Amino acid sequence: MSILAGQPEYCTMDDIRNLPEGQRAELIDGELYMMAAPGMMHQRILMELAFRIRDYIGKNRGDCEVLPAPFAVFLNADDRIYVEPDLSVICDKEKLTEDGCKGAPDWVIEIASPTSRPMDYNKKLFKYRTAGVREYWIIDYERDLITVYDFEHDEMTDYTLKDKVKAGIYQDLEIDFSQMVL
């Protein structure tokens, strides 16, 4: 992720909407952060997680939506913070519109890359927490690290890609990363 060179002093959603076709960026407090295309490992992890979480919700007749990037999240239900988390789980259907999610998802998963680490571990961590995200996972496959932030209980736990990781927003969802086809 990088800040767009030559961008106006304060960017808005109009700047996001006016990006060239196929170019993606996030907007945080007036700054545009350009997004690189994800690699194959990133996409494999994303798809595995999306399917496993969606299957769990379906089998348990849950009401939450599982939406992978690119999916618009207006984090504070305004135009100041626009992000595209790798995976969003939204349980309050009233937050969902055709344009995206207006407000904080319940659970956000970001898959870190060398270019996104500063955003994922710092800026987004703070923004997700203050916006009301209940749970935030950062999967850093190059470091063999999964960091789980349970904001409801003010806890942080680290795992590896060989561990089973329990989802805090569900009582009995556990994802066994060692069983993933990566």
Side-chain angles (χ1 to χ4, degrees):
M1 269 202 190
S2 63
I3 297 176
L4 182 62
Q7 74 178 3
E9 194 167 306
Y10 189 88
C11 294
T12 67
M13 279 306 299
D14 286 338
D15 296 299
I16 293 279
R17 290 182 195 100
N18 292 325
L19 287 171
E21 183 72 27
Q23 191 163 35
R24 294 174 42 217
E26 295 179 311
L27 175 68
I28 299 177
D29 298 331
E31 291 186 32
L32 263 182
Y33 296 89
M34 304 312 293
M35 300 172 68
M40 185 175 64
M41 182 63 77
H42 177 283
Q43 292 302 90
R44 282 182 176 165
I45 293 169
L46 177 63
M47 295 306 293
E48 284 274 344
L49 287 169
F51 287 135
R52 288 170 189 248
I53 296 167
R54 186 177 144 257
D55 286 350
Y56 171 85
I57 292 169
K59 287 177 186 170
N60 290 281
R61 295 186 179 94
D63 289 330
C64 301
E65 291 277 341
V66 181
L67 297 158
F71 179 71
V73 173
F74 300 89
L75 202 51
N76 296 318
D78 60 23
D79 283 353
R80 289 184 41 80
I81 301 176
Y82 167 87
V83 292
E84 293 182 7
D86 289 315
L87 199 62
S88 300
V89 178
I90 300 128
C91 301
D92 181 353
K93 300 270 176 115
E94 290 186 20
K95 291 181 179 180
L96 295 172
T97 71
E98 196 56 38
D99 294 330
C101 179
K102 307 288 185 182
D106 293 87
W107 181 11
V108 169
I109 298 174
E110 294 284 9
I111 302 167
S113 67
T115 57
S116 73
R117 276 187 194 116
M119 288 289 288
D120 295 335
Y121 283 101
N122 298 302
K123 195 170 287 254
K124 284 186 177 180
L125 170 65
F126 175 75
K127 294 298 181 184
Y128 289 150
R129 178 182 208 133
T130 58
V133 169
R134 295 167 53 199
E135 185 167 353
Y136 176 40
W137 291 17
I138 302 172
I139 300 170
D140 195 332
Y141 59 89
E142 288 185 358
R143 293 179 173 170
D144 189 26
L145 180 65
I146 303 163
T147 304
V148 174
Y149 295 93
D150 178 348
F151 295 138
E152 290 185 310
H153 300 101
D154 200 28
E155 295 176 358
M156 188 270 300
T157 308
D158 286 330
Y159 299 90
T160 71
L161 291 172
K162 295 169 200 68
D163 292 329
K164 291 181 182 177
V165 181
K166 185 181 175 327
I169 70 167
Y170 296 108
Q171 288 193 352
D172 58 353
L173 172 59
E174 192 172 67
I175 298 173
D176 187 348
F177 280 82
S178 71
Q179 298 299 310
M180 286 191 181
V181 179
L182 305 175

